[in-house]
């Protein structure tokens, strides 16, 4: 009836594990009670969960990412604490528990923090940047969100029922095979990946079609904002790389569940094939996380330097180059597997080549800042912090790209320091910059800048304290993922690293305070014009928060900095002569239902509850069938309603709120120079 | 992609006839043992690639005139990536295989 | 014009635009599916000699059977094409007839595949026997699963043609289903060229 699920799945065996379970369950109950107390269930369901509005879906993605960031960071803190004290003793975590923590930390940070964070920002902003009213497939968008949430739910519930994987976030066999890892942990990891991976693939396809098909008139490819360009590139990466993850996860699941022999030790399995397939997905994934952040940095640096982005074309080409090259380097993740020198050399050289377009980008951003009037807004500060720190990570990356050097440093804390050095500044700082930059667009008021700057300083100081010692420890020979150790020379460095983690904790607390303070004082920081930073791209042309349809009249664009050009030309904020009816998608409850069903499916597969798996699968098919037969999924916002909403928005804008554009050099017809970016 | 004129019966029948021939050749070679050695693999591969193109042109109506550019781009991109992924995987795994022998 | 007529015109315009997006989106989806199959092919080639002292491909494959499956699938591609032609000349009855023939051919293919799988498992050559057989069953089975989903899709579209007639959305679904069906035939070319033909040599 319940497969292998018994009462023993509840972690009564350890105080630490029980604590984790209690916090998770308690948190869930607290949220449930809070919503009930506020009588918010109806609002939550009708206005949020069933909404197909891309901006609301985006906000839900970011909320999911921030919640999971806290969970993933607690894991990090626990690991740092363990390693700081575990010299010649067991520390406070038993080995198996320590293994679960580093596995869940990596899994959560990649799949359930970075992926939803960037997907959320893309959802909120990209349709507005290209002058679209919605994404191409609003319903699919909702399904993607709830599949991601279902995957996150599987990771969270593994704390309370059963255990999580002990095989690391990459889950290499044979250790992740059924022989050496017979419990449910690896299955939780696999099904979380499969379920959320399908969701990510769907969002990739969705944004490819959105950007290719839904651009407003005049928005040629070479006039798209950089963030939209990076989104297009990563959507293509997602669409072509995530299938590899689906394949490799499905194969390992078949090995574990049905006794197949893809990656087993004997019977004709080949475990090296796993590493090969996993990294065919894994390396593009790194760029999927980083490129959107590069897009955000490009937007932020131009806006807060008050200059047009330097080298727009070179940035576009560099992004496309990185996207393609990212598919040609996957072997550098397993140089030490034993390939011949030629194979290693080819992939090593390809890896080093990626540093070239990335370097181009750094120079473009620096030249954008050069002689600009820089404003040290939190998002700009995160950008500058990124540029300095990321270069260090890039240099260590080129070092690791040398196969002989990699033989010395692989699997050491040097590697751990390297990839955190890429992903924390390269991805997370970008998302934080995006959070500070676009928050008013999503909510209609600005985030508190003071607490934003504080969060930045704690994050960057914490980052250096936590990871520079790991570079040194790597040279001193410390392997990654050590539960305890015997070399007293390591301990001072590990204590510094733990202090760094505490510092990052303060950074996270600052972000929480920033959100709280800003929400409390929202009335005094309202963004009435929709353009709080004197922005340059089209998303600032909408109201903050934007109306459900974003643009009452679909704009026509004639410049890379479309909205900047409109402000200079005096065409911004003009009411239309007449408004038209607008077609929008109806809300649908099938998205959350499909999410719940895939959660049930994943949970059933983990615990071998076959009837539940079959039931969930059939019901999911029925849901898809219902949707496929529904030809009336849209409704009309009448022109009068549009006119009312637009009138209210334009009425708020007083001339005092508008930015002074006198200092900007006009481009285009006004200056007599040809317009840039013309097709 | 509504190009009704191209979807004529003769297109489908031509495609079908070509596909039958291109399937029959490799089957006949292997079944009848007409060729041996690496040459068989070459014939099978060439016939398969041509047949894929036949299907794309006659059944999926791909061409450079009426097919939207973005569809062709994604087809080409997928082809390149599949070559990189499959070619790379086989190269890596075969190389490893030889070193472990 | 009355307000409802205006509304329906607006809805129709939006519908056309969204159907165009759907067809492009479906194309991109097919490309992602092609990557899935490509990697299953790669896994198969890597593992194809790893029969772990169990039965090898020469012991198990029957080219006659494969030729039969190939014939059914290829013929079904043609009949689907005939359904598409009937659609462009607005003959709903013909569309249903040809789709039904396609469905029968598809189910015939699935029956033959099940027979083959059943025979192999009965001989003690199931997917758990060796790396080679795991890769074989996964690759060929994934294709078969796709054909099964395609068959369900054909049933749904037949139903929609009968109930709703050849409306714009139904036509679009038929076109997309056609892309899917032809795509599966292309994958099958790969399967007999990579799996079956080299397997018996």
């Amino acid at each position: 009836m319940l497969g292998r699920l018994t009462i023993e799945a509840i972690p009564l065996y350890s105080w630490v594990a029980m604590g984790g379970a209690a916090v998770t369950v308690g948190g869930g109950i607290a949220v449930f009670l809070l919503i009930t107390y506020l009588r918010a269930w109806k609002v939550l369901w009708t206005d949020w969960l069933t909404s197909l509005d891309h901006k609301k879906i985006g906000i839900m993605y970011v909320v999911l990412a921030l919640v999971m960031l806290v969970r993933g960071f607690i894991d990090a803190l626990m690991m740092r604490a363990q390693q700081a004290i575990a010299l010649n003793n067991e520390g406070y975590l038993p080995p198996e528990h320590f293994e679960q923590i580093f596995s869940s930390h990596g899994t959560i940070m990649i799949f359930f923090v970075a992926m939803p964070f960037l997907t959320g920002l893309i959802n909120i902003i990209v349709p507005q940047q290209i002058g679209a009213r919605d994404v191409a497939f609003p319903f699919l968008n909702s399904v993607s969100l709830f599949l991601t949430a279902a995957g996150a739910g599987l990771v969270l519930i593994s704390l309370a029922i059963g255990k999580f994987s002990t095989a690391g976030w990459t889950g290499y066999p044979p250790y992740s095979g059924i022989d050496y890892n017979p419990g449910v942990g690896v299955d939780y990891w696999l099904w979380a990946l499969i379920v959320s991976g399908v969701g990510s693939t769907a969002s990739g396809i969705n944004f490819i079609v959105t950007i290719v098909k839904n651009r407003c008139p005049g928005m040629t490819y070479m006039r798209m904002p950089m963030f939209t360009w990076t989104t297009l590139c990563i959507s293509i990466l997602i669409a072509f790389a995530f299938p590899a993850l689906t394949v490799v996860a499905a194969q390992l699941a078949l090995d574990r569940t049905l006794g197949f022999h893809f990656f087993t030790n004997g019977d004709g399995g080949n475990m090296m094939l796993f590493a090969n397939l996993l990294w065919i997905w894994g390396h593009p994934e790194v760029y999927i996380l980083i490129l959107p952040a590069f897009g955000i940095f490009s937007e932020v640096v131009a806006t807060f330097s008050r200059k047009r982005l330097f080298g727009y074309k070179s940035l576009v080409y560099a992004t496309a180059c990185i996207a393609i090259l990212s598919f040609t380097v996957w072997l550098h993740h397993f140089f030490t597997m034993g390939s011949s020198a030629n194979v290693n050399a080819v992939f090593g050289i390809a890896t080093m080549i990626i540093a070239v377009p990335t370097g181009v980008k750094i120079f473009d951003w620096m030249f954008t800042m050069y002689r600009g009037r820089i404003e040290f807004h939190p998002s700009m500060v995160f950008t500058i912090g990124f540029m300095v720190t990321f270069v260090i990570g890039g240099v260590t990356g080129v070092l690791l790209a040398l196969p002989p050097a990699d033989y010395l440093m692989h699997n050491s804390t040097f590697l751990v320091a390297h990839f955190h050095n890429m992903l924390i500044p390269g991805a997370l700082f970008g998302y934080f910059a995006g959070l500070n930059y676009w928050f008013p667009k999503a909510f209609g008021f600005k985030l508190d800048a003071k607490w934003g700057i504080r969060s930045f300083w704690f994050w960057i100081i914490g980052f250096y304290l936590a990871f520079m010692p790991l570079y040194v420890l790597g040279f001193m020979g410390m392997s990654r993922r050590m539960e305890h150790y015997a070399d007293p020379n390591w301990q001072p460095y590990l204590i510094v690293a733990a202090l760094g983690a505490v510092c990052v904790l303060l950074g996270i607390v600052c972000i929480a305070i920033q959100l709280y303070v800003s929400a409390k004082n929202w009335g005094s920081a309202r963004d009435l014009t929709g353009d709080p930073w004197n922005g340059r791209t089209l998303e600032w042309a909408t109201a903050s928060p934007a109306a459900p349809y974003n643009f009452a009249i679909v704009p026509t664009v004639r410049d890379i900095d479309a909205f900047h050009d409109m402000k200079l030309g005096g065409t911004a904020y003009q009411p239309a002569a007449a408004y038209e009816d607008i077609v929008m998608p109806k809300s649908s409850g099938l998205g959350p239902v499909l999410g719940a069903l895939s959660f049930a499916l994943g949970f059933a597969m983990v615990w071998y509850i076959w009837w539940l798996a079959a039931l969930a699968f059939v019901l999911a098919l029925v849901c898809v069938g219902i949707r496929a037969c529904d030809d009336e999924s849209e409704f009309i916002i009448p022109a009068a309603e549009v006119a009312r909403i637009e009138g209210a928005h334009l009425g708020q804008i007083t001339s005092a709120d508008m930015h002074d554009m006198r200092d900007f050099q006009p481009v285009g017809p006004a200056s007599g120079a040809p317009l840039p970016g013309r097709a | 992609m509504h190009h009704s004129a191209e979807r004529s019966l003769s297109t489908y029948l031509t495609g079908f006839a070509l596909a039958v021939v291109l399937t029959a050749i490799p089957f006949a070679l292997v079944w009848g043992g007409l060729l041996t050695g690496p040459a068989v693999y070459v014939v099978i591969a060439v016939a398969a690639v041509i047949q894929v193109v036949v299907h794309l042109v006659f059944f999926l109506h791909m061409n450079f005139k009426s097919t939207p550019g973005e569809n062709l781009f994604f087809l080409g991109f997928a082809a390149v990536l599949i070559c990189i992924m499959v070619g790379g995987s086989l190269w890596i795994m075969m190389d490893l295989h030889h070193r472990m022998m | 014009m009355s307000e409802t007529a205006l509304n329906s015109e607006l809805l129709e315009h939006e519908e056309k635009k969204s159907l165009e997006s759907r067809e492009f989106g479906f194309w991109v989806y097919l490309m992602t599916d092609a990557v899935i199959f490509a990697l299953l092919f790669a896994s198969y080639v890597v593992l194809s000699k790893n029969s772990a002292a169990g039965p090898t491909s020469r012991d198990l494959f029957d080219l006659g059977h494969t030729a039969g499956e190939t014939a059914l699938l290829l013929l079904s591609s043609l009949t689907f094409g005939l359904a598409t032609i009937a659609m462009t000349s607005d003959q709903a009855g013909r569309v249903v007839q040809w789709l039904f023939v396609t469905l029968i051919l598809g189910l015939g293919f699935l029956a033959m595949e099940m027979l083959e799988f059943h025979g192999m498992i009965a001989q003690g050559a199931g997917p758990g026997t060796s790396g080679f057989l795991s890769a074989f069953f996964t690759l060929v089975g994934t294709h078969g699963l796709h054909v099964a989903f395609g068959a369900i899709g054909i049933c749904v579209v037949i139903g929609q043609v009968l109930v709703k007639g050849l409306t714009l959305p139904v036509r679009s679904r038929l076109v997309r289903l056609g892309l899917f069906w032809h795509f599966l035939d292309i994958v099958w070319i790969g399967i007999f060229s990579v799996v079956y033909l080299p397997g018996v040599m």
Side-chain angles (χ1 to χ4, degrees):
Chain A
M1 186 65 186
L2 287 178
R4 52 177 168 168
L5 178 57
T6 60
I7 192 71
E8 281 159 35
I10 296 169
L12 298 167
Y13 44 81
S14 140
W15 281 109
V16 183
M18 201 57 215
V23 169
T24 309
V25 175
I29 293 172
V31 170
F32 179 87
L33 290 178
L34 185 69
I35 295 170
T36 311
Y37 173 73
L38 295 171
R39 297 170 195 272
W41 281 108
K42 192 154 181 290
V43 177
L44 185 68
W45 178 256
T46 51
D47 286 1
W48 289 91
L49 298 180
T50 62
S51 170
L52 300 192
D53 183 336
H54 64 91
K55 299 173 287 289
K56 287 184 175 171
I57 288 178
I59 290 169
M60 287 188 277
Y61 263 119
V62 174
V63 170
L64 174 69
L66 290 175
V67 170
M68 296 306 283
L69 174 69
V70 172
R71 162 70 212 277
F73 180 73
I74 291 171
D75 288 339
L77 210 54
M78 287 173 77
M79 282 187 283
R80 285 282 133 259
Q82 167 77 12
Q83 288 195 330
I85 58 177
L87 172 64
N88 288 322
N89 66 59
E90 285 287 310
Y92 72 103
L93 288 172
E96 205 213 352
H97 198 157
F98 185 75
E99 288 165 1
Q100 285 186 57
I101 289 174
F102 68 64
S103 304
S104 67
H105 170 74
T107 308
I108 286 174
M109 288 304 194
I110 299 280
F111 292 94
F112 302 112
V113 177
M115 288 301 284
F117 212 145
L118 71 92
T119 316
L121 292 172
I122 287 171
N123 254 298
I124 298 169
I125 295 307
V126 164
Q128 301 191 62
Q129 275 197 336
I130 60 173
R133 287 189 175 143
D134 210 330
V135 296
F137 310 123
F139 174 68
L140 189 66
N141 204 13
S142 161
V143 175
S144 298
L145 165 68
F146 288 105
L147 288 180
T148 309
L154 283 173
V155 177
L156 285 182
I157 203 163
S158 74
L159 265 182
I161 305 175
K163 292 175 180 176
F164 195 67
S165 170
T166 53
W169 80 275
T170 50
Y172 279 5
Y175 183 56
S176 60
I178 195 79
D179 292 341
Y180 303 98
N181 227 319
V184 293
V186 178
D187 296 292
Y188 265 124
W189 173 75
L190 277 172
W191 286 97
L193 260 57
I194 292 173
V195 169
S196 66
V198 171
S200 298
T201 312
S203 346
I205 295 174
N206 208 341
F207 277 96
I208 290 173
V209 181
T210 304
I211 295 173
V212 170
K213 293 280 184 189
N214 286 12
R215 280 169 291 130
C216 65
M219 178 72 76
T220 59
Y221 283 110
M222 289 315 269
R223 281 186 199 151
M224 294 196 312
M226 266 323 289
F227 183 59
T228 300
W229 254 113
T230 53
T231 301
L232 178 62
C233 287
I234 68 130
S235 301
I236 295 174
L237 292 189
I238 288 176
F240 287 101
F242 266 77
L245 178 70
T246 310
V247 166
V248 75
Q251 286 174 336
L252 186 56
L254 285 170
D255 272 10
R256 290 181 56 84
T257 315
L258 296 176
F260 282 37
H261 292 291
F262 280 106
F263 310 125
T264 50
N265 248 341
D267 293 317
N270 187 336
M271 60 202 79
M272 275 86 130
L273 185 60
F274 180 93
N276 178 66
L277 292 174
L278 182 90
W279 289 110
I280 285 181
W281 158 79
H283 199 80
E285 169 69 7
V286 174
Y287 289 95
I288 291 168
L289 303 181
I290 283 184
L291 285 179
F294 283 4
I296 295 168
F297 294 133
S298 303
E299 306 289 350
V300 165
V301 85
T303 299
F304 292 108
S305 302
R306 308 272 166 245
K307 273 177 70 188
R308 177 183 283 270
L309 187 60
F310 181 90
Y312 169 84
K313 276 189 183 167
S314 64
L315 277 167
V316 171
Y317 292 131
T319 306
C321 274
I322 293 175
I324 292 168
L325 284 173
S326 72
F327 280 106
T328 63
V329 299
W330 73 90
L331 181 120
H332 73 215
H333 294 271
F334 48 97
F335 273 144
T336 55
M337 188 171 76
S339 295
S340 63
N342 284 345
V343 176
N344 278 354
V346 165
F347 282 91
I349 291 166
T351 306
M352 285 180 240
I353 290 174
I354 291 199
V356 176
T358 315
V360 167
K361 288 182 164 229
I362 295 278
F363 280 109
D364 279 334
W365 293 319
M366 292 203 304
F367 283 125
T368 306
M369 288 168 67
Y370 176 65
R371 300 188 70 179
R373 269 165 294 153
I374 297 171
E375 183 187 325
F376 288 97
H377 181 264
S379 57
M380 187 65 186
V381 176
F382 270 114
T383 304
I384 297 169
F386 147 77
M387 284 162 65
V388 175
T389 314
F390 190 76
V391 169
I392 300 172
V395 169
T396 59
V398 174
L399 185 57
L400 282 166
L402 294 161
D406 184 76
Y407 263 87
L408 296 174
M409 281 165 316
H410 85 104
N411 215 38
S412 72
T413 57
F414 186 90
L415 172 79
V416 176
H418 161 70
F419 67 71
H420 283 90
N421 199 339
M422 302 314 271
L423 287 174
I424 290 178
L428 207 54
F429 280 15
Y431 308 153
F432 287 150
L435 186 71
N436 280 286
Y437 185 55
W438 284 316
F439 189 88
K441 189 43 65 188
F443 290 99
F445 59 93
K446 292 180 228 176
L447 280 178
D448 187 85
K450 211 166 52 200
W451 283 102
I453 300 280
R454 284 174 192 159
S455 76
F456 164 77
W457 282 114
F458 279 120
W459 263 98
I460 194 153
I461 293 169
F463 166 79
Y464 277 99
L465 283 178
F467 292 103
M468 293 303 135
L470 293 197
Y471 277 125
V472 180
L473 283 166
F475 283 132
M476 292 166 78
M478 182 177 178
S479 290
R480 68 195 291 200
R481 298 170 173 172
M482 289 185 81
E483 188 256 349
H484 64 272
Y485 49 94
D487 187 340
N489 294 322
W490 294 351
Q491 197 176 30
Y493 292 96
L494 287 165
I495 290 172
V496 173
L499 287 176
V502 172
C503 198
V504 170
L505 172 69
L506 294 176
I508 292 178
V509 169
C510 285
I511 292 177
I513 296 174
Q514 184 192 24
L515 289 169
Y516 173 75
V517 169
S518 312
K520 209 174 120 206
N521 304 329
W522 74 281
S524 58
R526 285 185 69 188
D527 167 29
L528 297 174
T529 58
D531 177 25
W533 323 120
N534 200 358
R536 311 176 76 87
T537 40
L538 207 50
E539 76 268 30
W540 303 112
T542 60
S544 289
Y549 46 78
N550 297 347
F551 298 91
I553 303 290
V554 174
T556 303
V557 163
R558 40 166 231 160
D559 186 31
I560 295 170
D561 290 337
F563 186 56
H564 185 72
D565 173 60
M566 287 175 186
K567 284 187 284 189
L568 284 177
T571 53
Y573 307 119
Q574 294 302 315
Y579 291 101
E580 289 175 344
D581 293 351
I582 293 174
V583 180
M584 294 305 293
K586 283 179 196 163
S587 295
S588 167
L590 284 177
V593 171
L594 275 169
L597 287 173
S598 26
F599 175 80
L601 176 67
F603 187 78
M605 292 304 294
V606 168
W607 291 100
Y608 299 166
I609 311 173
W610 308 123
W611 64 268
L612 180 60
L615 182 72
F617 184 73
V618 171
L619 286 178
L621 271 188
V622 169
C623 287
V624 173
I626 291 174
R627 183 72 191 179
C629 292
D630 183 6
D631 290 337
E632 276 143 19
S633 54
E634 287 169 331
F635 74 104
I636 286 181
I637 303 179
E641 173 71 4
V642 176
R644 191 188 63 74
I645 297 173
E646 290 302 302
H649 167 53
L650 290 175
Q652 282 181 348
I653 303 171
T654 57
S655 52
D657 287 318
M658 295 217 265
H659 296 286
D660 186 357
M661 303 301 287
R662 278 172 301 182
D663 285 354
F664 290 95
Q665 287 292 319
V667 288
S671 68
L675 279 177
R678 177 158 286 169
Chain B
M1 275 197 286
H2 297 287
H3 309 288
S4 47
E6 291 159 37
R7 306 209 157 152
S8 65
L9 187 60
S10 63
T11 323
Y12 280 102
L13 287 177
T14 318
F16 183 71
L18 285 172
V20 169
V21 172
L22 287 165
T23 308
I25 293 173
F27 269 85
L29 281 184
V30 175
W31 226 334
L34 300 178
L35 261 180
T36 46
V40 195
Y41 293 102
V42 175
V43 175
I44 294 175
V46 171
V49 170
I50 297 176
Q51 192 176 172
V52 169
V53 175
V54 165
H55 279 243
L56 287 174
V57 172
F58 292 95
F59 292 163
L60 289 162
H61 314 289
M62 306 293 293
N63 60 56
F64 289 107
K65 271 190 217 137
S66 62
T67 310
E70 58 265 21
N71 290 42
L72 287 176
F73 170 80
F74 275 90
L75 181 67
F77 197 72
V80 170
L81 282 189
I82 285 172
C83 288
I84 293 174
M85 289 177 183
V86 175
S89 295
L90 294 184
W91 185 40
I92 293 165
M93 299 311 295
M94 296 301 165
D95 172 78
L96 206 60
H97 184 70
H98 288 302
R99 286 167 67 83
M100 289 170 65
M101 279 290 120
Chain C
M1 230 186 292
S2 73
E3 195 171 305
T4 46
L6 254 174
N7 278 353
S8 68
E9 199 175 280
L10 180 66
L11 279 172
E12 199 168 303
H13 172 75
E14 289 289 320
E15 193 167 52
K16 259 191 189 146
K17 219 181 96 189
S18 107
L19 292 179
E20 219 182 275
S21 292
R22 271 158 207 245
E23 276 166 35
F24 174 55
F26 195 76
W27 185 251
V28 178
Y29 153 72
L30 284 183
M31 296 303 114
T32 66
D33 224 12
V35 174
I36 288 190
F37 277 110
L39 293 170
L40 289 176
F41 275 114
S43 306
Y44 175 80
V45 174
V46 168
L47 297 174
S48 61
K49 301 283 176 243
N50 298 5
S51 49
T56 64
S57 54
R58 289 181 72 132
D59 306 332
L60 295 168
F61 294 166
D62 170 10
L63 265 196
H65 195 86
T66 310
E69 288 173 301
T70 310
L72 284 177
L73 215 50
L74 191 55
L75 214 53
S76 79
S77 256
L78 180 66
T79 55
F80 206 113
L82 296 174
T84 319
I85 292 172
M87 181 193 80
T88 50
S89 50
D90 288 318
Q91 295 166 299
R94 277 281 167 79
V95 172
V96 172
Q97 281 168 21
W98 283 122
L99 281 181
F100 189 71
V101 176
T102 312
L103 178 66
I104 298 295
L105 291 168
L107 292 178
F109 169 85
L110 282 176
M112 282 190 82
E113 191 161 86
M114 302 277 254
L115 215 64
E116 183 190 18
F117 282 6
H118 179 76
M120 285 170 77
I121 294 169
Q123 286 178 52
T129 311
S130 64
F132 150 63
L133 283 163
S134 299
F136 168 82
F137 275 95
T138 308
L139 169 59
V140 181
T142 304
H143 176 266
L145 207 61
H146 277 71
V147 175
F149 280 119
I152 296 175
I154 292 179
C155 293
V156 171
V157 169
I158 288 178
Q160 292 194 353
V161 174
L162 289 175
V163 175
K164 298 182 177 177
L166 287 172
T167 60
L168 216 55
V170 174
R171 278 164 188 269
S172 166
R173 270 172 215 136
L174 187 68
V175 170
R176 275 178 273 153
L177 188 62
L179 290 177
F180 187 67
W181 199 262
H182 294 308
F183 166 75
L184 292 182
D185 207 358
I186 293 179
V187 174
W188 184 255
I189 301 172
I191 290 182
F192 73 69
S193 305
V194 173
V195 178
Y196 287 104
L197 290 177
V200 296
M201 290 189 332

